[in-house]
Amino acid sequence: MSKKLYVGNLSFSSTEDDVRDHFASYGEVISVNLITDRETGRLRGFGFVEMDDEGANAAIQALDGKELGGRTLKVNEAQDKPRTGGARRGGGGGGYGGGGGRW
């Protein structure tokens, strides 16, 4: 089994290789996914690391609150994003832009 870890407060200059290397000493790193801004492509300062269960637990214990790249990391088990019954942001139906008012 594996666990997905949330890694927060990453340096904006962090790379997937940096994060992988940092976590690899605690167990097998299956994947690293650093989140980027859709518009600018710049890192948003957080990401996810998937590891084997034992390694994930060791990494949480060892790395939460520790420094990487001059920033104090926040490391915990990732929580599934809550599903919201299919509603979209921006309001109701009503055509273009979801305004819902009269034309």
Side-chain angles (χ1 to χ4, degrees):
M1 291 290 297
S2 66
K3 284 186 183 179
K4 186 178 277 191
L5 303 179
Y6 166 83
V7 184
N9 204 32
L10 286 167
S11 165
F12 296 111
S13 63
S14 294
T15 66
E16 287 187 6
D17 286 339
D18 292 338
V19 174
R20 181 180 302 277
D21 292 346
H22 205 67
F23 279 75
S25 57
Y26 300 98
E28 179 189 359
V29 176
I30 299 165
S31 67
V32 176
N33 182 20
L34 302 184
I35 307 304
T36 56
D37 184 274
R38 287 183 191 161
E39 293 178 21
T40 66
R42 295 178 59 176
L43 291 178
R44 294 187 57 200
F46 71 96
F48 300 93
V49 175
E50 186 178 1
M51 300 182 72
D52 63 276
D53 280 348
E54 195 172 310
N57 292 333
I60 291 170
Q61 292 297 314
L63 298 176
D64 186 43
K66 298 297 190 258
E67 195 171 294
L68 174 64
R71 311 269 311 247
T72 303
L73 295 179
K74 178 66 179 162
V75 181
N76 56 39
E77 190 170 349
Q79 304 297 311
D80 286 333
K81 192 173 184 179
R83 300 283 178 195
T84 60
R88 292 177 13 194
R89 265 199 256 170
Y96 301 100
R102 294 213 186 264
W103 289 89

